[in-house]
Amino acid sequence: EKWHMPTPYGDGNLQTQIAYTFAKEVQDNSDLEITVHSGGSLVKHPEIPRAVKTGQVQMGEMFLGILGNENPIYKHDNIPFLATSFEDAKKLWEAAKPSIAKELDKDGMMLLYTVAWPAQSLYSKDAVNTLSDLKGQKMRAYSPTQSRLADLMNTTPMTIQTPDIPQAFSTGIIQAMITSPSTGVDSQAWDYVNHYTDVKAWIPKNIVVVNKRSFRRLDKATQQIVLDAAKHAEAAGWTQIAARAAKDKATLVENGMMVSDPSSQLVEELKAIGKTMTEEWKAEAPKEIGEILTRYQN
Amino acid sequence: MDMMWISILLAFAMLALLSLGVWVSFTLIAIGGLGLILSENYQVDLLFATSSWGASTAWSLTALPLFIWMGEVLFRTRLSEDLFKGLSPWLGGVPGKLLHVNILSCGIFAAVSGSSAATAATIGRMTLPELRKQGYSDRMAIGTLAGSGTLGLLIPPSIILIVYGVAAEVSIARLFIAGALPGLLLVSLFMGFTMIWGHLHKDELPKTTGHETSWSARIKGLRKLLPVMGLIGFVLGSIYGGITTPTEAAALGVAGALVLAALTGSLSRHSFMDSLLGAVKSSCMIGFILIGAHFLTLAMGFLGIPKALALWISGMSLSPMELILYLTVLFVILGCFLDGISVVVLTVAVILPMVQAANIDLLWFGIFIVLVVEMSQITPPVGFNLFVIQALTGKNILYVAKAALPFFLLIGVAILLISIFPEIVTYLPTTMSQN
Amino acid sequence: MSQLKEKLYLCSGLLSGLCIVIITSLLLAQIVGRLFGFIVPSAEDFAGYALAASTFLGLAYTFREGGHIRVTLLIQRFSPVPRKIQEGAILILSLALLSYLSYACCYMVYESYIYEEVSYGYIPVPLWIPQLPVAIGVIALNLAILDALISVLGGKQPTYSEQEDALSLEEI
Ligand code: NA
Ligand code: NA
């Protein structure tokens, strides 16, 4: 049997490397051959959920947040300052997993594993000690959540596509953005921005899903091999991402960026924003999100 | 079926359909479908719909119809005529004369547009009719345009450099800067060739010696250039002044062209409609071919042909120079049948590791890839600059390809030069680190 | 009847042109918004939808005007009878292909509708709405091919090749 697995990000990303390892483990133990097509080379990112859902490909990887408009529970890992450490992110994922799995199942998909990104932190032209340092500046926002966050931080949200970021900083279209240290390293952020404040706003994840019908067509033994490989991939993801985050932060320092921890005042201010945004998120689907929050907070 | 036989069958079927006069876009879709069926993938309908929707809504392509429209608007003003009148006192004494207008305008416009098709379409719309009117050799007018249109990819901004930068995780800002010197190198190679050609083929240039080359005529000529230069300066300034992103700049270009047309009295309801329908014709043609190319790329991804070829090369343990030579040949062959961006997307995952293993600088390699992709824009049967120019002139793709052949070879010379002197690529980026 | 047909072809071109105007306006609005500090929500998404609509809605107009390019090097050397057979054959082939693509695109719209798919950007847009022009455009192209096939079967020269011949005459 031959399967195709499109993934959205390039080969340098931890997520893609884990996908290769996963595919290899399955192939070494069964007759199932999974070809990983990285970097959107087979199916572009926005089309991956649909391609898996309708069985055009048997499985695929996607950024969980892009499903946020389908159902607000998919946004649980994009809510600022709700889960800011890997332990909390893991706990939040355990809390959200049953609801997510149920929702994916409705669309004919089955959850295999997830790999988190490093925590999203603040890149800025100038040093940020309190929110007032950012007041009136222009900050990149690419989703409604981010835009609302920019509002609450007293900045002006700007929509900039990822490839345009370096030019947008250099030419002054934006002065700040929130993204992971990995993205900063990939795009060599030191070429266009000076300060990195490690606010750890949220920890987003990629998920890997399989088309239910394709999975059922496998024999029982192979199904188990796939599930085992997925379990190993998820475990590897959580351990390796922490190491990757530390390494990427070190790379930022090496290249001369000012990397600092947020001041206690900034932390307080951001936490208050986080509380507001969690409430607003809950209001989108009080029952389902309430359940997730209850499981998470207990 | 064996992958080699599938590849041969697909290439043969494509050539057969094309030579029977089946439209290029339809051919690409049909071959894509055939490829999917041969890879035992029978969901051709779903895959076509998904891939077309993805390809036709791509943000990076939104600028294309706008630039084409801008060209249509400018073509209907006096500006294209003024461009020639303004430049002829400057170029009249140079061997090759006004053929250099093609090269220079493409080089300058490339700094505004990120794609090669948009550059060729916009500039060609303005220059080709005028060059023909003045009696320049058709073949050379078409060749210079086909060749220098590809500068759109190398001189920043550039869609393909963005695609490569994202895939290879190389700073896009650095890639853009790295493209500047090789871009100038290509411009000088093209101009040098045109001068030599002009020297040898005086009979294929207009006989009239009507080009006044005195300094007073030159100064007067500059005044005629003001509106066009003003428009390009305005768009460039808006990008580097932090007002727009390169994609949005296309909209400013259209607005500026419309304002200029209104100021010079050539904007009417009729000419507005005409220009818009002209833009529809070109951009629908290119858009549907891109959709076909994307679908064919998808089939190639499922079949794994480009990947297999790249793996075959990586298995040969070559020296860096041999590797570059083999990759050039591989890209040129793939570039005959797929569009440039598809070639990069399909092979980059296999090729980058071997490039890194050979200690080749990824920044340098990005510029190398762009140069090879530029070559693929002017090779038949699938070459976007050929399509654009066929639409502009009615000349057959093979005629255009023959006219562009010297420029294809000149890009090869540029590849050789940057391989011998990699500093041409790497010098500028090393000067840019802030810290 | 033929006048109505002309109008429909022109309509295809004008709708496509309108979409290009919409893209321009959206991007201009975004630039102005940046200067004055407001956001045009999902401008990139809408520009992308307009781009798809522009490409597909204009297909029929472009086809009739001979805008879709092809290689005529070989077929121009055919004598009249084989040439007629060749045109008829490729039109039948194209009709079959486009009928299949029409079905594929309609099915995509239907599927987006029943799955209630929404865009992932700033404003959640039900995807079947911007996908509808794609299906309509392909069907229109399909009809344009049928129209050309009917005229070839009736012994007439299809309009697209009139345009092609006009262009090649000009160059001689
Ligand atoms: Na360019
Ligand atoms: Na080519």
Side-chain angles (χ1 to χ4, degrees), chain B residues 23 33 38 123 151 157 183 193 207 214 220 224-225 235 244 275 287 316 326 385:
Chain B
W23 291 268
L38 290 177
I123 297 301
L151 288 168
F193 172 77
K207 296 274 178 306
S214 68
K220 239 163 84 193
K224 288 209 178 293
L225 290 179
V235 176
T244 70
S275 68
M316 289 195 290
Y326 272 75
N385 280 19

Side-chain angles (χ1 to χ4, degrees), chain B residues 106-107 109-116 119 150-159:
Chain B
C106 282
F109 187 75
V112 175
S113 135
S115 97
S116 128
T119 308
T150 66
L151 288 168
L153 298 176
L154 187 58
I155 296 176
S158 156
I159 295 173

Side-chain angles (χ1 to χ4, degrees), chain C residues 116-147:
Chain C
E116 296 176 14
E117 285 205 40
V118 288
S119 66
Y120 69 97
Y122 218 88
I123 298 175
V125 181
L127 277 182
W128 68 269
I129 299 173
Q131 284 173 349
L132 199 58
V134 171
I136 294 174
V138 176
I139 293 173
L141 174 61
N142 207 2
L143 293 176
I145 293 173
L146 184 65
D147 184 27

Side-chain angles (χ1 to χ4, degrees), chain A residues 4 11-13 36-38 41-42 44 47 54-57 161 163-164 166-167 171 173 186 188 190-191 194 255, chain B residues 43 46-47 50 53-54 58-59 162 169 171 173-174 239-240 242 244-246 294 298 301-302 307 345 349 434-435:
Chain A
H4 294 274
D11 285 359
N13 280 84
V36 176
H37 301 267
S38 61
S41 59
L42 190 69
K44 285 189 188 165
E47 267 72 50
T54 55
Q56 296 167 42
V57 291
Q161 300 287 306
D164 290 336
Q167 207 153 9
T171 56
I173 290 181
D186 291 348
Q188 309 191 340
W190 46 87
D191 281 349
N194 304 321
N255 284 283
Chain B
Q43 292 175 308
L46 293 179
L47 287 166
T50 306
W53 177 246
W59 164 248
I162 291 175
E169 281 151 16
S171 154
R174 279 168 192 253
I239 296 179
Y240 291 97
T244 70
T245 63
H294 196 258
L298 180 81
F302 275 112
K307 214 177 203 174
V345 168
Q434 284 187 346
N435 304 297

Side-chain angles (χ1 to χ4, degrees), chain C residues 78-92 149 152:
Chain C
F78 288 5
S79 45
V81 175
R83 178 67 199 265
K84 279 222 168 87
I85 298 174
Q86 167 269 335
E87 284 299 335
I90 64 161
L91 280 171
I92 290 173
L149 179 62
V152 168

Side-chain angles (χ1 to χ4, degrees), chain B residues 167-432:
Chain B
E169 281 151 16
V170 180
S171 154
I172 290 162
R174 279 168 192 253
L175 278 170
F176 275 11
I177 301 235
L181 281 183
L184 288 178
L185 171 71
L186 264 190
V187 169
S188 16
L189 282 175
F190 289 169
M191 288 184 73
F193 172 77
T194 306
M195 284 181 202
I196 296 171
W197 182 90
H199 201 72
L200 297 175
H201 298 81
K202 290 211 171 74
D203 50 321
E204 290 186 57
L205 293 169
K207 296 274 178 306
T208 49
T209 45
H211 299 304
E212 236 197 293
T213 52
S214 68
W215 277 99
S216 70
R218 288 182 178 180
I219 304 297
K220 239 163 84 193
L222 276 188
R223 278 224 305 273
K224 288 209 178 293
L225 290 179
L226 277 181
V228 183
M229 288 298 155
L231 176 60
I232 292 201
F234 167 65
V235 176
L236 267 183
S238 68
I239 296 179
Y240 291 97
I243 296 170
T244 70
T245 63
T247 310
E248 295 161 353
L252 276 189
V254 169
L258 286 172
V259 169
L260 276 182
L263 288 179
T264 54
S266 43
L267 185 67
S268 64
R269 204 187 122 86
H270 182 73
S271 72
F272 179 86
M273 283 307 188
D274 259 11
S275 68
L276 196 55
L277 285 175
V280 164
K281 236 171 89 174
S282 299
S283 56
C284 280
M285 180 271 285
I286 298 177
F288 207 47
I289 292 182
L290 278 170
I291 286 166
H294 196 258
F295 184 53
L296 182 61
T297 302
L298 180 81
M300 290 293 143
F302 275 112
L303 280 164
I305 294 173
K307 214 177 203 174
L309 285 172
L311 275 175
W312 175 64
I313 289 183
S314 82
M316 289 195 290
S317 59
L318 301 162
S319 74
M321 272 304 191
E322 285 170 336
L323 180 65
I324 290 302
L325 182 68
Y326 272 75
L327 287 180
T328 309
V329 175
L330 169 75
F331 282 135
V332 167
I333 293 172
L334 286 177
C336 284
F337 297 96
L338 296 167
D339 78 291
I341 292 184
S342 303
V343 173
V344 175
V345 168
L346 282 176
T347 55
V348 95
V350 182
I351 282 174
L352 282 182
M354 57 173 143
V355 168
Q356 274 169 312
N359 270 326
I360 295 172
D361 181 16
L362 285 184
L363 192 71
W364 182 90
F365 192 71
I367 300 304
F368 161 77
I369 278 202
V370 171
L371 284 170
V372 200
V373 165
E374 285 193 50
M375 294 169 98
S376 79
Q377 299 286 325
I378 47 178
T379 52
V382 179
F384 277 83
N385 280 19
L386 307 181
F387 300 154
V388 166
I389 294 173
Q390 170 167 354
L392 284 176
T393 61
K395 300 268 191 197
N396 244 298
I397 292 173
L398 292 182
Y399 176 93
V400 183
K402 233 160 70 190
L405 182 65
F407 297 87
F408 174 87
L409 297 175
L410 286 173
I411 302 176
V413 172
I415 293 180
L416 193 66
L417 285 175
I418 66 160
S419 304
I420 302 172
F421 309 106
E423 297 79 15
I424 301 173
V425 176
T426 51
Y427 173 68
L428 281 184
T430 51
T431 63
M432 74 176 281

